[in-house]
PDB file of all heavy atoms in Angstrom:
ATOM      1  N   LYS J   6      18.095 -72.065 -64.151  1.00 54.00           N
ATOM      2  CA  LYS J   6      18.952 -70.904 -63.966  1.00 54.00           C
ATOM      3  C   LYS J   6      18.467 -69.736 -64.831  1.00 54.00           C
ATOM      4  O   LYS J   6      18.369 -68.611 -64.380  1.00 54.00           O
ATOM      5  CB  LYS J   6      20.388 -71.287 -64.345  1.00 54.00           C
ATOM      6  CG  LYS J   6      21.424 -70.351 -63.746  1.00 54.00           C
ATOM      7  CD  LYS J   6      22.825 -70.841 -63.992  1.00 54.00           C
ATOM      8  CE  LYS J   6      23.246 -70.569 -65.420  1.00 54.00           C
ATOM      9  NZ  LYS J   6      24.641 -70.929 -65.679  1.00 54.00           N
ATOM     10  N   LYS J   7      18.104 -70.068 -66.088  1.00 58.00           N
ATOM     11  CA  LYS J   7      17.693 -69.025 -67.026  1.00 58.00           C
ATOM     12  C   LYS J   7      16.338 -68.432 -66.645  1.00 58.00           C
ATOM     13  O   LYS J   7      16.046 -67.291 -66.914  1.00 58.00           O
ATOM     14  CB  LYS J   7      17.619 -69.584 -68.446  1.00 58.00           C
ATOM     15  CG  LYS J   7      18.978 -69.628 -69.133  1.00 58.00           C
ATOM     16  CD  LYS J   7      18.829 -70.179 -70.534  1.00 58.00           C
ATOM     17  CE  LYS J   7      20.173 -70.568 -71.121  1.00 58.00           C
ATOM     18  NZ  LYS J   7      20.047 -71.429 -72.263  1.00 58.00           N
ATOM     19  N   ASN J   8      15.493 -69.298 -66.071  1.00 60.00           N
ATOM     20  CA  ASN J   8      14.121 -68.856 -65.788  1.00 60.00           C
ATOM     21  C   ASN J   8      13.837 -68.879 -64.301  1.00 60.00           C
ATOM     22  O   ASN J   8      12.748 -69.283 -63.871  1.00 60.00           O
ATOM     23  CB  ASN J   8      13.122 -69.753 -66.536  1.00 60.00           C
ATOM     24  CG  ASN J   8      13.363 -69.726 -68.025  1.00 60.00           C
ATOM     25  OD1 ASN J   8      13.014 -68.786 -68.702  1.00 60.00           O
ATOM     26  ND2 ASN J   8      14.024 -70.773 -68.513  1.00 60.00           N
ATOM     27  N   LEU J   9      14.794 -68.444 -63.521  1.00 56.00           N
ATOM     28  CA  LEU J   9      14.661 -68.546 -62.065  1.00 56.00           C
ATOM     29  C   LEU J   9      13.398 -67.850 -61.545  1.00 56.00           C
ATOM     30  O   LEU J   9      12.626 -68.425 -60.778  1.00 56.00           O
ATOM     31  CB  LEU J   9      15.904 -67.968 -61.386  1.00 56.00           C
ATOM     32  CG  LEU J   9      15.925 -68.155 -59.881  1.00 56.00           C
ATOM     33  CD1 LEU J   9      16.137 -69.627 -59.554  1.00 56.00           C
ATOM     34  CD2 LEU J   9      17.043 -67.327 -59.264  1.00 56.00           C
ATOM     35  N   SER J  10      13.163 -66.634 -62.000  1.00 57.00           N
ATOM     36  CA  SER J  10      12.017 -65.891 -61.471  1.00 57.00           C
ATOM     37  C   SER J  10      10.715 -66.583 -61.852  1.00 57.00           C
ATOM     38  O   SER J  10       9.782 -66.661 -61.048  1.00 57.00           O
ATOM     39  CB  SER J  10      12.029 -64.456 -61.963  1.00 57.00           C
ATOM     40  OG  SER J  10      12.204 -64.467 -63.353  1.00 57.00           O
ATOM     41  N   VAL J  11      10.664 -67.132 -63.077  1.00 62.00           N
ATOM     42  CA  VAL J  11       9.445 -67.839 -63.520  1.00 62.00           C
ATOM     43  C   VAL J  11       9.225 -69.072 -62.645  1.00 62.00           C
ATOM     44  O   VAL J  11       8.113 -69.332 -62.182  1.00 62.00           O
ATOM     45  CB  VAL J  11       9.579 -68.252 -65.006  1.00 62.00           C
ATOM     46  CG1 VAL J  11       8.350 -69.025 -65.465  1.00 62.00           C
ATOM     47  CG2 VAL J  11       9.774 -67.026 -65.865  1.00 62.00           C
ATOM     48  N   ILE J  13      10.297 -69.603 -59.595  1.00 64.00           N
ATOM     49  CA  ILE J  13       9.897 -69.184 -58.242  1.00 64.00           C
ATOM     50  C   ILE J  13       8.419 -68.823 -58.218  1.00 64.00           C
ATOM     51  O   ILE J  13       7.668 -69.264 -57.346  1.00 64.00           O
ATOM     52  CB  ILE J  13      10.772 -67.997 -57.760  1.00 64.00           C
ATOM     53  CG1 ILE J  13      12.193 -68.498 -57.489  1.00 64.00           C
ATOM     54  CG2 ILE J  13      10.193 -67.365 -56.497  1.00 64.00           C
ATOM     55  CD1 ILE J  13      13.183 -67.414 -57.115  1.00 64.00           C
ATOM     56  N   ILE J  14       7.982 -68.056 -59.220  1.00 66.00           N
ATOM     57  CA  ILE J  14       6.570 -67.633 -59.242  1.00 66.00           C
ATOM     58  C   ILE J  14       5.654 -68.846 -59.391  1.00 66.00           C
ATOM     59  O   ILE J  14       4.652 -68.971 -58.702  1.00 66.00           O
ATOM     60  CB  ILE J  14       6.325 -66.604 -60.375  1.00 66.00           C
ATOM     61  CG1 ILE J  14       7.009 -65.272 -59.997  1.00 66.00           C
ATOM     62  CG2 ILE J  14       4.839 -66.366 -60.605  1.00 66.00           C
ATOM     63  CD1 ILE J  14       7.164 -64.306 -61.138  1.00 66.00           C
TER      64      ILE J  14
ATOM     65  N   THR W  35      15.379 -68.699 -49.228  1.00 93.00           N
ATOM     66  CA  THR W  35      16.307 -67.915 -50.056  1.00 93.00           C
ATOM     67  C   THR W  35      16.121 -66.416 -49.806  1.00 93.00           C
ATOM     68  O   THR W  35      17.089 -65.680 -49.597  1.00 93.00           O
ATOM     69  CB  THR W  35      16.073 -68.223 -51.561  1.00 93.00           C
ATOM     70  OG1 THR W  35      16.139 -69.646 -51.731  1.00 93.00           O
ATOM     71  CG2 THR W  35      17.097 -67.561 -52.442  1.00 93.00           C
ATOM     72  N   LEU W  36      14.847 -65.994 -49.777  1.00 92.00           N
ATOM     73  CA  LEU W  36      14.582 -64.569 -49.548  1.00 92.00           C
ATOM     74  C   LEU W  36      15.091 -64.144 -48.174  1.00 92.00           C
ATOM     75  O   LEU W  36      15.735 -63.100 -48.027  1.00 92.00           O
ATOM     76  CB  LEU W  36      13.076 -64.288 -49.670  1.00 92.00           C
ATOM     77  CG  LEU W  36      12.465 -64.489 -51.063  1.00 92.00           C
ATOM     78  CD1 LEU W  36      10.963 -64.283 -51.031  1.00 92.00           C
ATOM     79  CD2 LEU W  36      13.110 -63.533 -52.063  1.00 92.00           C
ATOM     80  N   ILE W  39      18.953 -64.038 -48.139  1.00 89.00           N
ATOM     81  CA  ILE W  39      19.499 -62.862 -48.833  1.00 89.00           C
ATOM     82  C   ILE W  39      19.300 -61.610 -47.972  1.00 89.00           C
ATOM     83  O   ILE W  39      20.221 -60.826 -47.769  1.00 89.00           O
ATOM     84  CB  ILE W  39      18.825 -62.692 -50.212  1.00 89.00           C
ATOM     85  CG1 ILE W  39      19.254 -63.835 -51.134  1.00 89.00           C
ATOM     86  CG2 ILE W  39      19.172 -61.348 -50.830  1.00 89.00           C
ATOM     87  CD1 ILE W  39      18.443 -63.949 -52.395  1.00 89.00           C
ATOM     88  N   SER W  45      23.671 -57.343 -48.112  1.00 67.00           N
ATOM     89  CA  SER W  45      22.504 -57.162 -48.995  1.00 67.00           C
ATOM     90  C   SER W  45      21.874 -55.782 -48.895  1.00 67.00           C
ATOM     91  O   SER W  45      20.864 -55.507 -49.534  1.00 67.00           O
ATOM     92  CB  SER W  45      21.449 -58.222 -48.687  1.00 67.00           C
ATOM     93  OG  SER W  45      20.961 -58.038 -47.372  1.00 67.00           O
ATOM     94  N   LEU W 119      29.356 -60.055 -53.450  1.00 75.00           N
ATOM     95  CA  LEU W 119      28.638 -60.376 -54.695  1.00 75.00           C
ATOM     96  C   LEU W 119      27.812 -59.188 -55.192  1.00 75.00           C
ATOM     97  O   LEU W 119      27.656 -58.982 -56.399  1.00 75.00           O
ATOM     98  CB  LEU W 119      27.733 -61.582 -54.477  1.00 75.00           C
ATOM     99  CG  LEU W 119      28.421 -62.951 -54.341  1.00 75.00           C
ATOM    100  CD1 LEU W 119      27.410 -64.012 -53.973  1.00 75.00           C
ATOM    101  CD2 LEU W 119      29.098 -63.321 -55.651  1.00 75.00           C
ATOM    102  N   TRP W 120      27.253 -58.435 -54.247  1.00 76.00           N
ATOM    103  CA  TRP W 120      26.413 -57.296 -54.636  1.00 76.00           C
ATOM    104  C   TRP W 120      27.254 -56.210 -55.317  1.00 76.00           C
ATOM    105  O   TRP W 120      26.846 -55.636 -56.322  1.00 76.00           O
ATOM    106  CB  TRP W 120      25.703 -56.712 -53.418  1.00 76.00           C
ATOM    107  CG  TRP W 120      24.792 -57.702 -52.772  1.00 76.00           C
ATOM    108  CD1 TRP W 120      25.006 -58.370 -51.616  1.00 76.00           C
ATOM    109  CD2 TRP W 120      23.533 -58.148 -53.265  1.00 76.00           C
ATOM    110  NE1 TRP W 120      23.957 -59.210 -51.346  1.00 76.00           N
ATOM    111  CE2 TRP W 120      23.022 -59.091 -52.333  1.00 76.00           C
ATOM    112  CE3 TRP W 120      22.765 -57.849 -54.396  1.00 76.00           C
ATOM    113  CZ2 TRP W 120      21.815 -59.744 -52.505  1.00 76.00           C
ATOM    114  CZ3 TRP W 120      21.541 -58.483 -54.555  1.00 76.00           C
ATOM    115  CH2 TRP W 120      21.094 -59.419 -53.615  1.00 76.00           C
ATOM    116  N   SER W 123      28.236 -57.258 -58.738  1.00 81.00           N
ATOM    117  CA  SER W 123      27.135 -57.140 -59.700  1.00 81.00           C
ATOM    118  C   SER W 123      26.924 -55.691 -60.110  1.00 81.00           C
ATOM    119  O   SER W 123      26.576 -55.401 -61.253  1.00 81.00           O
ATOM    120  CB  SER W 123      25.847 -57.716 -59.118  1.00 81.00           C
ATOM    121  OG  SER W 123      25.509 -57.043 -57.941  1.00 81.00           O
ATOM    122  N   GLN W 124      27.181 -54.778 -59.150  1.00 81.00           N
ATOM    123  CA  GLN W 124      27.066 -53.347 -59.475  1.00 81.00           C
ATOM    124  C   GLN W 124      28.118 -52.961 -60.521  1.00 81.00           C
ATOM    125  O   GLN W 124      27.830 -52.237 -61.471  1.00 81.00           O
ATOM    126  CB  GLN W 124      27.263 -52.515 -58.215  1.00 81.00           C
ATOM    127  CG  GLN W 124      25.954 -52.233 -57.485  1.00 81.00           C
ATOM    128  CD  GLN W 124      26.174 -51.378 -56.254  1.00 81.00           C
ATOM    129  OE1 GLN W 124      27.286 -51.295 -55.735  1.00 81.00           O
ATOM    130  NE2 GLN W 124      25.118 -50.761 -55.791  1.00 81.00           N
ATOM    131  N   GLY W 127      27.224 -53.768 -63.809  1.00 87.00           N
ATOM    132  CA  GLY W 127      26.107 -52.978 -64.311  1.00 87.00           C
ATOM    133  C   GLY W 127      24.748 -53.645 -64.139  1.00 87.00           C
ATOM    134  O   GLY W 127      23.778 -53.275 -64.797  1.00 87.00           O
ATOM    135  N   TYR W 128      24.660 -54.636 -63.252  1.00 87.00           N
ATOM    136  CA  TYR W 128      23.373 -55.299 -63.007  1.00 87.00           C
ATOM    137  C   TYR W 128      22.500 -54.470 -62.075  1.00 87.00           C
ATOM    138  O   TYR W 128      23.011 -53.794 -61.184  1.00 87.00           O
ATOM    139  CB  TYR W 128      23.602 -56.660 -62.322  1.00 87.00           C
ATOM    140  CG  TYR W 128      24.157 -57.750 -63.222  1.00 87.00           C
ATOM    141  CD1 TYR W 128      24.662 -58.917 -62.654  1.00 87.00           C
ATOM    142  CD2 TYR W 128      24.161 -57.644 -64.600  1.00 87.00           C
ATOM    143  CE1 TYR W 128      25.180 -59.937 -63.432  1.00 87.00           C
ATOM    144  CE2 TYR W 128      24.673 -58.652 -65.395  1.00 87.00           C
ATOM    145  CZ  TYR W 128      25.177 -59.796 -64.811  1.00 87.00           C
ATOM    146  OH  TYR W 128      25.667 -60.791 -65.592  1.00 87.00           O
ATOM    147  N   THR W 129      21.187 -54.575 -62.285  1.00 85.00           N
ATOM    148  CA  THR W 129      20.264 -54.027 -61.292  1.00 85.00           C
ATOM    149  C   THR W 129      20.226 -55.042 -60.141  1.00 85.00           C
ATOM    150  O   THR W 129      20.733 -56.161 -60.274  1.00 85.00           O
ATOM    151  CB  THR W 129      18.841 -53.873 -61.870  1.00 85.00           C
ATOM    152  OG1 THR W 129      18.382 -55.187 -62.219  1.00 85.00           O
ATOM    153  CG2 THR W 129      18.827 -52.972 -63.079  1.00 85.00           C
ATOM    154  N   ARG W 130      19.540 -54.710 -59.035  1.00 79.00           N
ATOM    155  CA  ARG W 130      19.532 -55.641 -57.886  1.00 79.00           C
ATOM    156  C   ARG W 130      18.824 -56.956 -58.249  1.00 79.00           C
ATOM    157  O   ARG W 130      19.237 -58.039 -57.850  1.00 79.00           O
ATOM    158  CB  ARG W 130      18.859 -54.998 -56.675  1.00 79.00           C
ATOM    159  CG  ARG W 130      19.722 -53.937 -56.025  1.00 79.00           C
ATOM    160  CD  ARG W 130      19.220 -53.565 -54.643  1.00 79.00           C
ATOM    161  NE  ARG W 130      19.549 -54.551 -53.637  1.00 79.00           N
ATOM    162  CZ  ARG W 130      20.763 -54.714 -53.113  1.00 79.00           C
ATOM    163  NH1 ARG W 130      21.770 -53.976 -53.532  1.00 79.00           N
ATOM    164  NH2 ARG W 130      20.982 -55.608 -52.179  1.00 79.00           N
ATOM    165  N   LEU W 131      17.736 -56.811 -59.022  1.00 83.00           N
ATOM    166  CA  LEU W 131      16.986 -58.014 -59.409  1.00 83.00           C
ATOM    167  C   LEU W 131      17.817 -58.902 -60.341  1.00 83.00           C
ATOM    168  O   LEU W 131      17.845 -60.137 -60.199  1.00 83.00           O
ATOM    169  CB  LEU W 131      15.683 -57.600 -60.098  1.00 83.00           C
ATOM    170  CG  LEU W 131      14.554 -58.631 -60.041  1.00 83.00           C
ATOM    171  CD1 LEU W 131      14.118 -58.893 -58.607  1.00 83.00           C
ATOM    172  CD2 LEU W 131      13.375 -58.179 -60.877  1.00 83.00           C
ATOM    173  N   GLN W 132      18.517 -58.230 -61.260  1.00 87.00           N
ATOM    174  CA  GLN W 132      19.390 -58.992 -62.182  1.00 87.00           C
ATOM    175  C   GLN W 132      20.531 -59.649 -61.407  1.00 87.00           C
ATOM    176  O   GLN W 132      20.906 -60.792 -61.691  1.00 87.00           O
ATOM    177  CB  GLN W 132      19.968 -58.050 -63.245  1.00 87.00           C
ATOM    178  CG  GLN W 132      18.983 -57.724 -64.358  1.00 87.00           C
ATOM    179  CD  GLN W 132      19.537 -56.670 -65.305  1.00 87.00           C
ATOM    180  OE1 GLN W 132      20.272 -55.765 -64.882  1.00 87.00           O
ATOM    181  NE2 GLN W 132      19.177 -56.779 -66.574  1.00 87.00           N
ATOM    182  N   ALA W 133      21.059 -58.924 -60.430  1.00 84.00           N
ATOM    183  CA  ALA W 133      22.143 -59.476 -59.608  1.00 84.00           C
ATOM    184  C   ALA W 133      21.677 -60.731 -58.892  1.00 84.00           C
ATOM    185  O   ALA W 133      22.385 -61.739 -58.839  1.00 84.00           O
ATOM    186  CB  ALA W 133      22.596 -58.436 -58.592  1.00 84.00           C
ATOM    187  N   LEU W 134      20.445 -60.645 -58.355  1.00 82.00           N
ATOM    188  CA  LEU W 134      19.873 -61.802 -57.654  1.00 82.00           C
ATOM    189  C   LEU W 134      19.742 -62.987 -58.593  1.00 82.00           C
ATOM    190  O   LEU W 134      20.134 -64.103 -58.286  1.00 82.00           O
ATOM    191  CB  LEU W 134      18.475 -61.443 -57.151  1.00 82.00           C
ATOM    192  CG  LEU W 134      18.314 -61.011 -55.693  1.00 82.00           C
ATOM    193  CD1 LEU W 134      16.869 -60.720 -55.407  1.00 82.00           C
ATOM    194  CD2 LEU W 134      18.818 -62.093 -54.761  1.00 82.00           C
ATOM    195  N   ARG W 135      19.184 -62.686 -59.780  1.00 83.00           N
ATOM    196  CA  ARG W 135      18.843 -63.748 -60.721  1.00 83.00           C
ATOM    197  C   ARG W 135      20.072 -64.385 -61.372  1.00 83.00           C
ATOM    198  O   ARG W 135      20.153 -65.593 -61.505  1.00 83.00           O
ATOM    199  CB  ARG W 135      17.911 -63.172 -61.794  1.00 83.00           C
ATOM    200  CG  ARG W 135      17.397 -64.211 -62.727  1.00 83.00           C
ATOM    201  CD  ARG W 135      16.457 -63.624 -63.744  1.00 83.00           C
ATOM    202  NE  ARG W 135      16.354 -64.525 -64.886  1.00 83.00           N
ATOM    203  CZ  ARG W 135      15.660 -64.277 -65.964  1.00 83.00           C
ATOM    204  NH1 ARG W 135      14.999 -63.162 -66.068  1.00 83.00           N
ATOM    205  NH2 ARG W 135      15.624 -65.149 -66.944  1.00 83.00           N
ATOM    206  N   TYR W 136      21.026 -63.518 -61.777  1.00 86.00           N
ATOM    207  CA  TYR W 136      22.145 -64.045 -62.558  1.00 86.00           C
ATOM    208  C   TYR W 136      23.395 -64.346 -61.735  1.00 86.00           C
ATOM    209  O   TYR W 136      24.252 -65.083 -62.173  1.00 86.00           O
ATOM    210  CB  TYR W 136      22.504 -63.069 -63.690  1.00 86.00           C
ATOM    211  CG  TYR W 136      21.387 -62.905 -64.694  1.00 86.00           C
ATOM    212  CD1 TYR W 136      20.756 -61.684 -64.868  1.00 86.00           C
ATOM    213  CD2 TYR W 136      20.959 -63.994 -65.448  1.00 86.00           C
ATOM    214  CE1 TYR W 136      19.712 -61.535 -65.775  1.00 86.00           C
ATOM    215  CE2 TYR W 136      19.929 -63.852 -66.363  1.00 86.00           C
ATOM    216  CZ  TYR W 136      19.310 -62.633 -66.523  1.00 86.00           C
ATOM    217  OH  TYR W 136      18.289 -62.504 -67.416  1.00 86.00           O
ATOM    218  N   LEU W 137      23.481 -63.756 -60.558  1.00 84.00           N
ATOM    219  CA  LEU W 137      24.753 -63.899 -59.839  1.00 84.00           C
ATOM    220  C   LEU W 137      24.582 -64.533 -58.451  1.00 84.00           C
ATOM    221  O   LEU W 137      25.096 -65.632 -58.190  1.00 84.00           O
ATOM    222  CB  LEU W 137      25.404 -62.520 -59.722  1.00 84.00           C
ATOM    223  CG  LEU W 137      26.881 -62.552 -59.351  1.00 84.00           C
ATOM    224  CD1 LEU W 137      27.716 -63.038 -60.521  1.00 84.00           C
ATOM    225  CD2 LEU W 137      27.336 -61.166 -58.921  1.00 84.00           C
ATOM    226  N   VAL W 138      23.837 -63.848 -57.585  1.00 83.00           N
ATOM    227  CA  VAL W 138      23.806 -64.274 -56.174  1.00 83.00           C
ATOM    228  C   VAL W 138      23.172 -65.659 -56.011  1.00 83.00           C
ATOM    229  O   VAL W 138      23.814 -66.590 -55.517  1.00 83.00           O
ATOM    230  CB  VAL W 138      23.070 -63.214 -55.311  1.00 83.00           C
ATOM    231  CG1 VAL W 138      23.032 -63.657 -53.852  1.00 83.00           C
ATOM    232  CG2 VAL W 138      23.766 -61.869 -55.435  1.00 83.00           C
ATOM    233  N   VAL W 139      21.914 -65.787 -56.464  1.00 84.00           N
ATOM    234  CA  VAL W 139      21.192 -67.055 -56.233  1.00 84.00           C
ATOM    235  C   VAL W 139      21.893 -68.241 -56.926  1.00 84.00           C
ATOM    236  O   VAL W 139      22.167 -69.256 -56.277  1.00 84.00           O
ATOM    237  CB  VAL W 139      19.702 -66.922 -56.647  1.00 84.00           C
ATOM    238  CG1 VAL W 139      18.990 -68.260 -56.568  1.00 84.00           C
ATOM    239  CG2 VAL W 139      19.005 -65.921 -55.744  1.00 84.00           C
ATOM    240  N   PRO W 140      22.247 -68.133 -58.231  1.00 86.00           N
ATOM    241  CA  PRO W 140      22.916 -69.293 -58.855  1.00 86.00           C
ATOM    242  C   PRO W 140      24.230 -69.668 -58.174  1.00 86.00           C
ATOM    243  O   PRO W 140      24.501 -70.841 -57.949  1.00 86.00           O
ATOM    244  CB  PRO W 140      23.183 -68.826 -60.290  1.00 86.00           C
ATOM    245  CG  PRO W 140      22.251 -67.707 -60.517  1.00 86.00           C
ATOM    246  CD  PRO W 140      22.018 -67.062 -59.220  1.00 86.00           C
TER     247      PRO W 140
END
Side-chain angles (χ1 to χ4, degrees):
Chain J
K6 200 173 76 175
K7 278 181 194 163
N8 301 283
L9 186 70
S10 50
V11 178
I13 290 175
I14 289 165
Chain W
T35 307
L36 294 176
I39 292 167
S45 64
L119 288 174
W120 298 105
S123 59
Q124 269 181 340
Y128 286 166
T129 62
R130 287 195 77 75
L131 204 63
Q132 281 174 326
L134 262 181
R135 186 178 160 183
Y136 296 116
L137 196 72
V138 180
V139 173

